[in-house]
Amino acid sequence: MQKEYDPEYVESKWQRIWEEKQLFRVEEDPTKKKYYLLEMFPYPSGNIHMGHVRNYAIGDVVARYKRMQGYNVLHPMGWDAFGMPAENAAIAHNVHPAKWTYQNIDVMRSQLKRLGFSYDWDRELATCKPEYYRWEQWLFVKMFEKGMAYRKKSFVNWCENCQTVLANEQVEAGLCWRCSQVVVQKELDQWFLRITDYADDLLEYCDRIPGWPEKVVTMQKNWIGKSVGAEIHFPLENRDGHIPVFTTRQDTVFGATFMCMAPEHPLVARLAAGTEQEAEVQGFIERMKRQDTAKRTSDDYEKEGVFVGAHCINPFTKQRMPIFTANFALMEYGTGAVMAVPAHDQRDFEFARKYGLEIIVVIQPKGEALDPESMTEAYIDEGILVRSGPFDGLENVKAFDAIADYLEEKKTGKRTVSFRLRDWGISRQRYWGAPIPVVYCKKCGVVPVPEENLPVMLPEDAGMLEGGRSPLPELEGFVKTSCPACGHPDARRETDTMDTFVESSWYFERYCSPGHDKGMFDKKAVGYWMPVDQYIGGIEHAILHLLYSRYFTRVLRDFGLVTYKEPFTRLLTQGMVCKETHKCPDHGFLYPEEAVVKDQSRTCKHCGSEVGVGRIEKMSKSKRNVVDPNTLIEKYGADTLRLFCLFAAPPERDLDWSDQGVEGGYRFLKRIWRLVAEHVADVQTAKPFDEEKELTGDLKRLHRKIHQTVKRVTNDIEARFHFNTAISAVMELVNTIHAVKAGILSTPEGASVLRLALETVIVLLSPIVPHLTEELWEALGNSGSVLETSWPTYREEAIAEDEILIVVQVNGKVRSRLNIAADADEEAIKTAALADDRAVARIAGRPVKKVIVVQKKLVNIVV
């Protein structure tokens, strides 16, 4: 072997060997336990970043570790290639999205291979390929035929910059999740999937996925948002019809004094039509379209509204209630209308005070009498009903059922359940996506494209239009078609494309049989591999992707394609990679290499101004606090980069970048290389210690450390994925080897124990730094890949210590330490402590009052 560690030579050599031997290729094998390890696939954005490296390094360790344990491991990779990210980037670079995407896939594939990840590249897929999206179009048609997909007019979240609709989950603080521009409300015809049909089941199974982080489960529960309550009908004054209201507080209905409706509610404009309020109401509606719906409902956001010029009747009190349209009422919750009870809801209280509306107390705290005129805030606690007709005197918590019974008896409402979750709007007015397989015929109406005519191909040669508009509506060759039902030649295709989250809601099943052309996937292959045993990805997908994937799996189950409900058994959400920012007063944020270190300060490379160092935050191109993985690979090698990403922090926590940490990792790998190089000749003919002979002294200590390290590393990977502490354990073993190596080769047993120690270091580190360990494994004379060897085991009896360290205290202060036989009893420990020279000196002849022994840990002598 070479004397010095050359990562470029070692890594290129072994990547070539792995590819030639197809080492990572896998097939179903019923004789083996399967393990499906999957990281969330990336957008082909052009270059991998440090977040990718960390995510995929975590997954690769687990995949390699499980394979060495004897599992048949599926570890695939592909590309989430459709959608706004690719299209927006392509437009910004004046390149066609198809060309941009395929070029980036080639670049990123090469980069991932350079990092040595153990992917079965034979299973690679890209969601923009017709052989992929053909099958989601097929599923859409099946869902349409079952009434699970439908079209309706709806107010939607519209991003003018991206020229498309966004799902609620894609609007963050009122801004587009991709371009950060303000989102407005716009009414369009949209296609929806009935995810709400599965709301109860999705919620129930949140408690049946114990392998998921509690934080993610809570986020899913909150998004589904189940509320149990009642629907109450408030008749309109002097006109037909009523306003249905969902409430969880039917106990307060006698205190409802006004009605608030969402500006998007279709009834608002109709009620205001022809009244003096019409213009003001219309202006309010238009203004609300530009407001963030999340902010509108926040506690600290100013509540405002406009009287619509109409009233409704409280069905319990028969009193007139003015109807307002208000910013805090949302169509996304309940029915889009809120019965306002200002005495017992703080938001309603503030609104009533602002607009001079009546406040009626209907729940009095025991022993008190609230006066609405002097109240400074709403009373929201429990109490006794007053001014509530036949329910006066009831405790309010006991009135829920009684009032619900009354509603149903009088046919003015009913018990019901409401969900925050809304049906999934999948229509996108963008080009770069899977076409929705529907044809519009003047005679037949909406007609799904027959299975034999799928896929509906996206024309990849379409030219892009100014402003990012989709060219599909203007492509006559695409739009104009004949009706599949009646053959009429003047039909037209749907020009919306599917939300990219449709593609990512079933790709994990497609990986099981990516070349299957008779259906979405081979049911037998899916039956073997699914569900995913370990899924790894960012917390930012806790609602969007994960919820849709759980929904799609249930749809597939109902169509008889799969047998399970939950696609992911265990979930790990890794932390972010963070770094401090650098900012020049003239040039703004700087890349790290643009902030030049000079005399313990930093100056701008461009102008020489002093650079301010900001807080540590997530790496992002906008803040320029990024590190290029390619640069680090060229300087240190892929193994060093992998080692640092795994050693710097536990995977679920944020990783603070450290150039010194990368250097330290590189030094450690060179140290291991030198250790093996120094002794490769000494152990070449030795066999690893077979444990049949009794060892003593340093050899026994090293042998014990080997077994202790195997146990620690195995437990850290298996139970917690704490690779940082696993690496620390191997570092301790390396230190122990260095400490005892001087005299270890004087006997055959010494060479055998040293070989066992070196091989243990190599095997334990192989999932983390696979290239270096392959080279060292070969240097020791082993044949085959280290990945093909079995994960080492440990023996508890070999771990047992002969001696233990006891801390000796005198009056609670540490005065000495002593080694004592591990099986010593309490009396023996007391005797040894009292005889210790340092302890005797501190006792100084004083009488000993008592001796406290904490077995196996310490002795406290009280004088």
Side-chain angles (χ1 to χ4, degrees), residues 63-74:
R64 290 173 177 270
Y65 165 74
K66 285 296 182 180
R67 175 165 174 173
M68 295 173 77
Q69 284 191 317
Y71 286 87
N72 194 27
V73 177
L74 175 59

Side-chain angles (χ1 to χ4, degrees), residues 280 318 332 370 393 543 604 680 726 766:
E280 187 177 1
K318 308 305 180 186
E332 285 78 18
L370 297 174
I543 295 172
C604 176
V680 65
S766 65

